[in-house]
Amino acid sequence: METIRTISWMKEKAREARQEQRIIGFVPTMGALHAGHLALVERAKKECSTVYGSIFLNPAQFGPNEDLSKYPRSLEADVEKLTNARVDGLFLPSVEEIYPQGFSTYVHVEGLSERLEGKSRPGHFRGVATVVLKLFEILQPHYAYFGRKDAQQVRIIQKMVQDLNLDVQLVVCPTVREADGLALSSRNAYLGAEERKAATVLYRALQTAGKELAAGVRDSLELQGTMMRILGNEPRARVDYAEIVDAETFEPVVRVAKRCYAVMAVRIGTTRLIDNMLIRPKGEGLAVEL
Ligand code: AMP
């Protein structure tokens, strides 16, 4: 696997691949790779003839009091994992390469970026949208692979692609979980042993809401109440939000009827975790995907 550090060389490689009529798949990441990232790579390998990954710990999406400086880094292991997954190239730019002195252009997806994650992390989605647009311009992918674990992020990128007429197809992949339901995340590395046990509360809360939906509950406040009760029973958990929202606008819904997400952000100790459950109409009823 070739490691590509400059924008000019990455663009040249992508141009070459396009000229050879290859289908380019792209998996953007911030590193500290786990099986969730590798599931995106695996899907891309199935669907594309050339697969590029990127590792870029994007400072623009971290707030001043967030975990940028202590975000887990494991470049050597990451390279090995991508090599074993037969990724064709790794784009590994420096911060200066992406944000040279004087950089001043940002992408802001209005509305969607202000809710939930955006409300708790001001400027976060502006940083995400900006770097993803830059990466799309540099790598020129036909398909880009994202995890549904970050459902609001995917929706914002989808909106950007639509609004700016970008020539890339997004592929959204299901959340990969540990055996006990905890969604894989690079941030799970921060959890101590007791916190790690407590962290399953997100999955348990979503799962219980899912059972209520299956039993016919449609009232959002009732479902939210259930999630809050389960989260509240875990002394190490501090809830940031737990809501039922429309899958397109991420605005709260009163009753669950069309495609929605149950979304939550919860602090376990000092570690902030997010998770969600997709709720979608199926036949006369609803199906949930965790
Ligand atoms: P990150 O490195 O956290 O920016 O994540 C890179 C990509 O991997 C994003 O599209 C995430 O949504 C996706 N991802 C992270 N965790 C998981 C997971 N547990 N299952 C599936 N995809 C994931």
Side-chain angles (χ1 to χ4, degrees):
M1 181 185 68
E2 185 180 2
T3 298
I4 301 151
R5 292 173 192 271
T6 64
I7 291 170
S8 57
W9 186 233
M10 189 64 249
K11 278 193 162 182
E12 183 57 34
K13 297 294 292 181
R15 244 192 316 262
E16 222 174 82
R18 284 234 168 198
Q19 262 159 17
E20 290 168 8
Q21 313 294 328
R22 303 181 73 85
I23 303 294
I24 306 177
F26 173 43
V27 182
T29 81
M30 299 201 298
L33 301 183
H34 52 62
H37 297 114
L38 297 178
L40 307 184
V41 170
E42 205 174 303
R43 177 87 178 264
K45 284 296 290 182
K46 278 201 190 111
E47 298 175 351
C48 306
S49 46
T50 295
V51 173
Y52 293 124
S54 68
I55 296 179
F56 181 63
L57 193 46
N58 177 30
Q61 70 186 69
F62 286 79
N65 300 316
E66 291 185 355
D67 57 346
L68 174 63
S69 62
K70 65 179 176 96
Y71 194 86
R73 287 157 220 242
S74 55
L75 185 58
E76 216 171 300
D78 291 351
V79 167
E80 194 180 331
K81 284 174 187 166
L82 295 175
T83 306
N84 290 340
R86 293 175 298 110
V87 166
D88 298 281
L90 166 63
F91 183 47
L92 184 69
S94 65
V95 172
E96 295 71 34
E97 184 74 3
I98 296 293
Y99 300 114
Q101 188 91 45
F103 183 90
S104 63
T105 306
Y106 292 87
V107 183
H108 179 201
V109 179
E110 289 179 4
L112 268 169
S113 298
E114 274 73 62
R115 299 220 9 90
L116 302 167
E117 280 302 283
K119 194 169 182 184
S120 300
R121 305 182 65 189
H124 171 65
F125 286 126
R126 172 181 184 258
V128 170
T130 302
V131 83
V132 170
L133 177 59
K134 281 177 68 87
L135 291 169
F136 284 174
E137 286 299 304
I138 295 163
L139 286 116
Q140 296 290 309
H142 296 90
Y143 296 94
Y145 294 80
F146 293 89
R148 205 176 52 223
K149 202 206 117 210
D150 300 279
Q152 192 180 2
Q153 166 174 287
V154 182
R155 179 62 196 129
I156 285 169
I157 295 168
Q158 227 156 29
K159 191 71 174 36
M160 173 181 78
V161 165
Q162 192 185 334
D163 287 353
L164 299 182
N165 312 105
L166 305 183
D167 274 327
V168 57
Q169 185 82 39
L170 303 189
V171 182
V172 185
C173 303
T175 302
V176 178
R177 298 176 181 280
E178 301 280 6
D180 62 6
L182 177 65
L184 294 190
S185 162
S186 307
R187 291 192 168 94
N188 293 351
Y190 301 146
L191 299 169
E194 289 306 310
E195 291 175 339
R196 170 63 188 80
K197 280 184 210 156
T200 58
V201 74
L202 284 84
Y203 179 72
R204 287 186 275 120
L206 291 169
Q207 210 181 25
T208 310
K211 280 184 191 149
E212 290 198 345
L213 278 159
V217 177
R218 295 290 179 268
D219 182 68
S220 290
L221 281 182
E222 194 175 334
L223 294 162
Q224 253 162 250
T226 299
M227 296 196 292
M228 291 301 282
R229 179 170 47 78
I230 300 206
L231 294 168
N233 284 342
E234 173 47 64
R236 290 175 197 272
R238 265 194 303 127
V239 182
D240 184 351
Y241 60 78
E243 288 186 31
I244 313 285
V245 296
D246 181 279
E248 292 208 343
T249 62
F250 280 74
E251 293 288 342
V253 296
V254 177
R255 279 184 68 75
V256 177
K258 54 187 194 113
R259 213 176 152 86
C260 294
Y261 280 105
V263 285
M264 55 176 63
V266 178
R267 241 174 245 284
I268 305 287
T270 54
T271 306
R272 190 169 175 283
L273 300 176
I274 59 170
D275 203 344
N276 68 72
M277 173 173 70
L278 174 64
I279 307 164
R280 57 181 177 80
K282 188 182 177 197
E284 296 293 290
L286 294 168
V288 299
E289 287 175 40
L290 266 159

